[in-house]
Amino acid sequence: MGKISESLRRDAELVVDVCMSVGEDDVVTIITDNDHVGEADVLAEVCLERGAFPVIANNEHQVCRGLVDTRFPMAPPRNLHHAMTNSDEIIIITNLEWANRFAHVSAVKQSCDANAKIASVEEGMGNWELTRDDILAATDRAQMAIEALEKGKTCRVTSPSGTDVIVSIAGRPALEVTPIKKRGQMMGPVPLWAEVAFAAVENETQGKIVVDGVMLGIGISGQVKEQIVWTIDKGRCKLIEGGEEADRLREVISGVEGADVVGEFAFGTSEKSPWGSPSEKGRLGTVHFALGDNHNAYPGGENVSNLHLDGVCLDASLEVLETGVYILKDGQWALS
C-alpha cells in the first residue's frame, strides 16, 4: 500500500497497542465495509508488525442492507460468525451506527464467551488528537461511577428537556464499556468512547424520556431535529411523541417483539466522544436508554428482541436514589 500519514499510523497504533493490545501470534479478524477499507488495511499492517495474523473481512453488502432496513438480520453469516469465535481480537471498522447494532448479535456474545477482545473503531482515524491519558481518565471515571452505583438499586434521570424517569438496576451488574479492552469484555467502540451500561430491570422503568441527542436506528444522521418523547410505564414504551422522527421510530418498532421494552440504561464518561454521532452515547454529560434487546450484551438482561435502538438525553442529571449521590448534575461530572 502507499505511504501512510503519520497521524493515521499513530491512531492505528493507539487502537492496536493500547485498546486491543494485539500480541505476537494473535489471530485478528478485521470486519470492514467499502468506506473503511483503507483504514482496515492500516490496522492490519500494524497488527502484522506486532507478529499477529490479521484477516480483513469486507462485509459491505450486509452493512448496506442493514442500514437501509432495520429489520434485515444483523447476525453475520456462518463463515464470519466462525471467524469471530475463533479470533483472539476482533476489530470492526464499518459504518458506526451499523457496528453499534451489530454489538447485540449472538456472534458477539459467543466471541466474548470464547475470551476474545472485540471492539468497533470510531470515525475519524488520523484526526483524533487523543492520548493514552485521555483514555485512562475516561476509564477512571467509569470505574468511580460503578463503585458509587454498587451502593444503590434505583436511579433517577432528569434533563432540561423534560426527561424525568426512574430506572431499576437491582441485581444487574454494571457493564464497563471503556477503550482498553479486556478478554471476554463486551464489545464497545474505541478509542474515544467510554460508558457504563446496565440491563434495566425490564418491568420497572417509569416516567418520561426525552431524546434530544442522537437516535439510532431510524435513518437519521446527527441529533434529532425535534425531541422524541417516550412515555414509559412498567418498563414499556406506551407512547412516542414528536415530529417525523418520532413517526419513524414508531414505524421501526411496530410489531417487533420486545422492541417496546426499555432494555438499557447507560451514561458516558468520555470528554472526547464527538457530539452528533453514534459516539455521543459515550460523551460525558449524556445518559442514554435503548428500546429492545438486552439479553446478548448486558449482565442479567432478559429481554429478547431483534432490535436495539438507543436514544440520548443531553445535559442530564443522574442520581442514585438510595444514597442521594449524583453521578451527573446538569451534564457535569459530579463525583470526586
Side-chain angles (χ1 to χ4, degrees), residues 185-200:
Q185 186 181 48
M186 182 55 196
M187 173 181 164
V190 297
L192 304 169
W193 175 304
E195 72 170 54
V196 176
F198 291 86

Side-chain angles (χ1 to χ4, degrees), residues 70 115 286:
T70 57
N115 217 28
T286 68

Side-chain angles (χ1 to χ4, degrees), residues 290-312:
L291 296 173
D293 190 86
N294 65 10
H295 90 290
N296 271 320
Y298 307 97
E302 298 176 358
N303 189 53
V304 178
S305 180
N306 290 329
L307 293 179
H308 179 95
L309 307 177
D310 299 282
V312 173

Side-chain angles (χ1 to χ4, degrees), residues 98-120:
W98 181 87
N100 269 263
R101 289 164 50 206
F102 186 76
H104 301 278
V105 301
S106 62
V108 169
K109 185 177 189 301
Q110 290 173 24
S111 298
C112 294
D113 291 343
N115 217 28
K117 297 177 187 174
I118 179 167
S120 54

Side-chain angles (χ1 to χ4, degrees), residues 26-332:
D26 282 359
V27 172
V28 184
T29 296
I30 301 172
I31 302 172
T32 192
D33 57 20
N34 285 353
D35 288 341
H36 298 84
V37 167
E39 294 156 307
D41 282 338
V42 178
L43 289 167
E45 183 168 313
V46 175
C47 289
L48 193 64
E49 292 172 0
R50 304 304 184 256
F53 294 92
V55 172
I56 297 174
N58 190 333
N59 203 27
E60 168 72 9
H61 300 295
Q62 188 185 21
V63 172
C64 287
R65 292 181 70 179
L67 289 171
V68 170
D69 180 5
T70 57
R71 303 194 186 191
F72 181 76
M74 292 298 298
R78 64 178 180 273
N79 54 355
L80 183 53
H81 186 138
H82 185 74
M84 291 173 64
T85 56
N86 285 275
S87 297
D88 297 299
E89 288 89 29
I90 303 154
I91 302 174
I92 301 168
I93 182 156
T94 63
N95 173 280
L96 191 58
E97 178 172 341
W98 181 87
N100 269 263
R101 289 164 50 206
F102 186 76
H104 301 278
V105 301
S106 62
V108 169
K109 185 177 189 301
Q110 290 173 24
S111 298
C112 294
D113 291 343
N115 217 28
K117 297 177 187 174
I118 179 167
S120 54
V121 178
E122 292 169 283
E123 298 288 354
M125 184 189 294
N127 298 291
W128 288 330
E129 297 184 355
L130 187 74
T131 68
R132 183 186 180 93
D133 286 344
D134 293 328
I135 290 174
L136 293 176
T139 301
D140 288 346
R141 279 189 288 267
Q143 292 171 347
M144 190 185 304
I146 289 170
E147 184 177 348
L149 285 158
E150 286 174 350
K151 301 178 177 67
K153 298 179 180 179
T154 315
C155 296
R156 182 186 181 194
V157 178
T158 59
S159 76
S161 291
T163 295
D164 193 347
V165 64
I166 304 293
V167 59
S168 172
I169 57 171
R172 301 292 170 86
L175 182 66
E176 179 187 332
V177 189
T178 50
I180 300 177
K181 305 306 293 184
K182 302 169 186 173
R183 296 219 167 272
Q185 186 181 48
M186 182 55 196
M187 173 181 164
V190 297
L192 304 169
W193 175 304
E195 72 170 54
V196 176
F198 291 86
V201 177
E202 289 78 6
N203 61 351
E204 294 194 23
T205 307
Q206 195 77 26
K208 181 180 291 186
I209 296 169
V210 180
V211 175
D212 55 352
V214 298
M215 179 70 233
L216 300 186
I218 62 171
I220 63 171
S221 60
Q223 297 176 336
V224 297
K225 294 181 176 60
E226 186 173 345
Q227 296 171 0
I228 303 176
V229 182
W230 307 353
T231 299
I232 312 298
D233 183 42
K234 297 179 181 177
R236 291 188 177 271
C237 188
K238 300 294 188 180
L239 185 63
I240 297 173
E241 298 173 288
E244 292 181 2
E245 294 154 326
D247 295 341
R248 175 61 177 154
L249 180 57
R250 283 196 300 272
E251 177 186 337
V252 167
I253 71 171
S254 177
V256 179
E257 185 176 357
D260 62 340
V261 174
V262 177
E264 179 195 6
F265 152 64
F267 56 93
T269 66
S270 169
E271 293 180 307
K272 298 294 183 177
S273 290
W275 299 107
S277 85
S279 292
E280 183 178 274
K281 297 192 301 166
R283 183 78 182 206
L284 185 64
T286 68
V287 172
H288 66 272
F289 297 88
L291 296 173
D293 190 86
N294 65 10
H295 90 290
N296 271 320
Y298 307 97
E302 298 176 358
N303 189 53
V304 178
S305 180
N306 290 329
L307 293 179
H308 179 95
L309 307 177
D310 299 282
V312 173
C313 307
L314 303 175
D315 300 316
S317 295
L318 167 55
E319 180 187 7
V320 184
L321 290 181
E322 286 77 13
T323 62
V325 170
Y326 279 88
I327 293 171
L328 297 171
K329 186 69 172 175
D330 299 322
Q332 301 298 312

